Structures are given as C-alpha cells and as structure tokens.
C-alpha cells in the first residue's frame, strides 16, 4: 500500500520569508512518481511538478525548488521569498511508474500555506 | 483548449435523491478518474477508467457508479445520495507516454451538498 504524509497541516509566514513544505511517502515499489499540486482559494488543482524516482537531482523553477531524498523517502518543496499569491493548499502525491497504478494518485492530506503581507 | 470540464459546479441534493456528475475531456486521454476531497482528508480515488468500456474501483467506491462509453466522457452517478457524500468532487484525466502515465489534469471540481 502507498501512503503520503504531510505532517504540517497549516503554516503561516510573512511575505518574503522562505518556507519549506514537507512530504514523506511510503511505497513498496522501487520506482514511482512523486507530484506536487497547488490548490489556490479558487479551488482548482494546479500541477507543479512530477519527479521520477530514478532522478534524485533537485529541481528549481523560479522561486520554487524541490528536494528529493530517496534515502529518507522525502520530497520537500521550498518556496523562496514567499508572496501572497503563494497562499494555497499544497498537496504531495505518489503514483506507480507504469501499469495499472500509474494513473492512480495517492495524495497527502495537504498543507495550507498562508502568506501574510 | 477546454481540458477537463465538470458540470455542475455546485449542487444541493436531498438525502435519497440520485444524480449524475458529468465529466468530459477533449484531450483524447485514455485514463480518467474521479476523486473526492473532504476537509483534512486530501483527495481520495473513487473510480477510474483505463479506456472506453473499462472501469474499476478506487479507494472509496461505495455509493457511486461509473461508466465509460466514450473516450471523452466519464460520468459519476450517485444512486441514493447520503449526507456522507457531501464533498468536492474532482474528475481527472491523463495519458500514457512511454508506458507511464503523465501528470493528471483536473477539472474545476463539483461542490456537492447532501441535506
């Protein structure tokens, strides 16, 4: 069985602070995908990143960066110089690489980030 | 591009009523799924389909039926609504690339209240 744990239920930061959202996962698969989605107050789900378990390189996209550590089963998400528009619920998710499970996402419970101006 | 379209956006039902949540995608994706989102629970998979005519149960299928007669449409039916089905429902689609699924593309969601 797969499981994703986002231990931080809610986080508040002041604008321009850096913030890291934690994600820890459990899976018996040796290969898998990890995802982050953003859900702003308007409610839609916005895809942010997909990471293949083969690739442990960290990734940076503008103010966003992701730290994948297979040894600790973690896939943490850092927002640098946070902005009010970053206020949202962020979900970490896991799926298999291929076969029947590759399109079935297991989500964490989400972390609500509030950026205070 | 329309992407994944869900209708209605909001719905209030009385206990025992039935209804169908519609989901359509115009990206020719093979895979479609339904998730429900409850406060503090994240998203949980209800049913999924790997192609027209093929459906299967997810984590929380009880009380819901699905069918997939075309690639584009994947409706979710509530046969006899219960207050426990009050939730936000998301439809998603994805496709296979090199044997693996791409990221899921989500609809805007349907907020359902059962009274």
């Amino acid at each position: 069985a797969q499981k994703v744990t986002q231990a931080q239920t809610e986080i508040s930061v002041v604008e321009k602070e850096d913030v890291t959202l934690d994600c820890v996962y459990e899976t018996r698969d040796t290969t898998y995908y990890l995802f982050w989605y953003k859900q702003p107050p308007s409610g839609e789900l916005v895809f942010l990143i997909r990471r293949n378990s083969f690739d442990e390189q960290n990734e940076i996209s503008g103010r966003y960066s992701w730290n994948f550590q297979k040894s600790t089963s973690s896939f943490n998400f850092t927002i640098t110089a946070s902005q009010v528009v970053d206020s949202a619920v962020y979900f970490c998710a896991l799926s298999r690489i291929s076969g029947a499970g590759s399109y079935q996402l297991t989500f964490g419970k989400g972390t609500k980030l509030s950026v205070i101006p | 591009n329309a992407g994944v379209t869900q209708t209605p956006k909001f719905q209030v039902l009385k206990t025992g009523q039935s209804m169908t949540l519609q989901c359509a995608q115009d990206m020719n994706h093979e895979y479609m799924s339904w998730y429900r989102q409850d406060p503090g629970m994240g998203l949980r998979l209800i049913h999924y389909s790997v192609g027209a005519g093929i459906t299967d149960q997810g984590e929380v299928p009880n009380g819901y039926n699905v069918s997939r007669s075309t690639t584009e449409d994947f409706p979710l039916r509530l046969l006899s609504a219960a207050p426990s089905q009050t939730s936000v429902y998301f439809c998603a689609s994805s496709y296979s690339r090199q044997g693996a699924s791409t990221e899921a593309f989500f609809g805007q969601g349907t907020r359902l209240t059962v009274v």
Side-chain angles (χ1 to χ4, degrees):
Chain A
Q2 299 186 322
K3 184 178 180 181
V4 175
T5 301
Q6 295 179 254
Q8 305 150 309
T9 304
E10 293 192 39
I11 301 175
S12 289
V13 298
V14 176
E15 199 170 21
K16 297 184 183 177
E17 285 185 345
D18 299 347
V19 58
T20 295
L21 310 183
D22 297 333
C23 173
V24 174
Y25 61 91
E26 297 174 29
T27 179
R28 293 177 184 171
D29 297 331
T30 54
T31 58
Y32 44 87
Y33 282 125
L34 293 161
F35 302 80
W36 277 95
Y37 281 86
K38 174 182 180 180
Q39 186 176 44
S42 51
E44 73 273 23
L45 285 158
V46 179
F47 167 76
L48 295 178
I49 189 172
R50 181 181 74 167
R51 172 48 51 93
N52 187 321
S53 59
F54 285 111
D55 181 3
E56 293 196 58
Q57 268 192 323
N58 291 331
E59 182 156 342
I60 297 174
S61 177
R63 296 184 297 107
Y64 295 170
S65 62
W66 291 269
N67 184 319
F68 174 41
Q69 293 195 349
K70 203 168 183 178
S71 60
T72 57
S73 298
S74 65
F75 186 44
N76 297 337
F77 173 31
T78 297
I79 301 174
T80 302
S82 59
Q83 300 176 1
V84 173
V85 293
D86 296 326
S87 296
V89 179
Y90 291 86
F91 291 99
C92 182
L94 170 68
S95 79
R96 290 184 163 154
I97 285 281
S98 62
S102 68
Y103 38 81
Q104 300 174 43
L105 292 167
T106 298
F107 283 86
K109 295 183 178 181
T111 297
K112 182 178 181 180
L113 174 65
S114 298
V115 180
I116 303 164
Chain B
N1 287 339
V4 180
T5 303
Q6 291 183 235
T7 55
K9 288 187 171 49
F10 301 94
Q11 183 70 50
V12 178
L13 284 180
K14 293 183 179 178
T15 297
Q17 285 185 319
S18 62
M19 82 157 295
T20 299
L21 307 186
Q22 301 291 344
C23 175
Q25 53 93 6
D26 61 359
M27 299 173 282
N28 201 32
H29 286 176
E30 308 106 287
Y31 310 134
M32 296 186 75
S33 334
W34 277 101
Y35 293 84
R36 61 177 288 173
Q37 182 181 12
D38 301 297
M41 295 295 293
L43 282 82
R44 293 179 292 169
L45 182 65
I46 305 172
H47 284 285
Y48 64 93
S49 169
V50 301
I54 306 170
T55 64
D56 207 344
Q57 298 180 349
E59 180 186 353
V60 288
N62 292 341
Y64 307 96
N65 277 355
V66 292
S67 60
R68 183 101 179 267
S69 55
T70 66
T71 300
E72 294 78 20
D73 300 302
F74 191 43
L76 178 71
R77 297 184 187 84
L78 283 71
L79 302 177
S80 178
S84 61
Q85 294 178 303
T86 293
S87 187
V88 180
Y89 292 85
F90 285 96
C91 179
S93 74
S94 61
Y95 64 96
S96 175
R97 183 169 57 203
Q98 298 176 336
S101 174
T102 64
E103 67 274 13
F105 296 79
F106 284 87
Q108 295 290 313
T110 295
R111 185 175 294 274
L112 176 68
T113 302
V114 183
V115 298

